[in-house]
Amino acid sequence: MSDPELVLSGTRLGVDEYLDDFRDNFWHDNSGVNWKLERRQEFVESSNESWEASRRNDWRRSLDLLEEGRANVAAYERRISDKGMEVRRVRVVEKPITPYLLWELTSLHVRHQVGGKIRVVERDRVRPFEIGGTVLPELFLLGRAIAYQVLYDHEGALSGAVKCTNPDEVRHWGDFVASLYDQGEELGSFFDREVAGQLPLAG
């Protein structure tokens, strides 16, 4: 898989700049639906103890940590709801499902169970948009106001973002992700059918 091209015009931000800018804009003067598109099949989650445990193949510890974090995830989802917001996430999944995605989908399943709005689309659904070896970008859109194309290095570690406030571009990509979401499968049913049985502790 090749790296995604830059699809947004705007300001290039470093990691800390992006995280600070996103935090400020997400929690202030933001309401309604926000859209998130995840396309990569591998990320580096080096600050996440559960991910680190899965990397060591200590799945018992990994799942226990996800469960221990359930209350915090639920509180975060309530905070979003109390602010009059929704975050609707589209997760592209290729098969066979990578070890990273086994972990991430399990983590997202906890979020789904406490109110997170997450749907899965499989590779065939996005294939028409990935002509010539290109891949869809990682995106986070704050309503109709701001779009971030989130950038990663070759290993999947966060390297920054491009921030776009052009209304036409934000609208285009918001409509695109919304369309994928409408076509997607709710995470709960996908997880039960495709993920739960593949976890190393299954059975």
Side-chain angles (χ1 to χ4, degrees):
M1 178 185 296
S2 61
D3 292 330
E5 300 175 354
L6 293 181
V7 300
L8 298 178
S9 64
T11 305
R12 182 73 175 257
L13 304 174
V15 173
D16 292 339
E17 291 176 304
Y18 162 61
L19 294 174
D20 289 343
D21 192 84
F22 176 85
R23 188 179 304 113
D24 289 344
N25 286 295
F26 185 74
W27 291 114
H28 299 94
D29 298 321
N30 183 32
S31 61
V33 179
N34 301 269
W35 299 99
K36 184 172 177 62
L37 173 63
E38 285 188 311
R39 174 64 182 92
R40 289 183 62 102
Q41 303 300 287
E42 297 284 346
F43 288 103
V44 172
E45 306 273 2
S46 55
S47 63
N48 190 302
E49 292 184 32
S50 174
W51 176 76
E52 294 282 9
S54 74
R55 292 257 292 175
R56 299 191 302 271
N57 208 33
D58 187 353
W59 280 89
R60 175 62 65 192
R61 178 60 176 159
S62 178
L63 298 183
D64 285 348
L65 286 166
L66 290 178
E67 193 58 38
E68 289 170 15
R70 177 183 292 269
N72 287 337
V73 176
Y76 182 85
E77 292 296 329
R78 284 195 301 272
R79 184 183 177 194
I80 289 174
S81 179
D82 289 346
K83 294 281 267 184
M85 296 189 294
E86 290 184 5
V87 176
R88 298 183 183 179
R89 181 190 308 243
V90 175
R91 208 333 156 184
V92 178
V93 174
E94 295 185 20
K95 295 179 181 176
I97 298 174
T98 66
Y100 170 82
L101 267 188
L102 285 179
W103 173 81
E104 188 197 1
L105 291 168
T106 305
S107 175
L108 290 177
H109 191 241
V110 173
R111 185 174 300 279
H112 166 76
Q113 290 176 318
V114 298
K117 296 174 173 60
I118 305 157
R119 293 186 182 178
V120 172
V121 297
E122 296 192 38
R123 172 70 173 91
D124 287 348
R125 186 74 67 179
V126 301
R127 192 184 303 275
F129 309 108
E130 297 187 330
I131 305 301
T134 63
V135 294
L136 291 174
E138 311 296 318
L139 296 172
F140 210 130
L141 298 107
L142 306 187
R144 296 288 184 170
I146 300 172
Y148 297 97
Q149 181 176 354
V150 190
L151 306 175
Y152 297 86
D153 64 19
H154 290 297
E155 293 183 349
L158 180 65
S159 63
V162 174
K163 176 186 178 182
C164 175
T165 56
N166 180 295
D168 291 337
E169 294 182 56
V170 176
R171 184 182 306 108
H172 167 77
W173 284 105
D175 290 347
F176 177 80
V177 181
S179 176
L180 288 180
Y181 186 87
D182 288 344
Q183 299 171 58
E185 179 180 358
E186 293 286 350
L187 177 61
S189 58
F190 182 87
F191 183 89
D192 291 344
R193 186 182 68 252
E194 302 286 353
V195 178
Q198 291 197 53
L199 292 172
L201 297 178

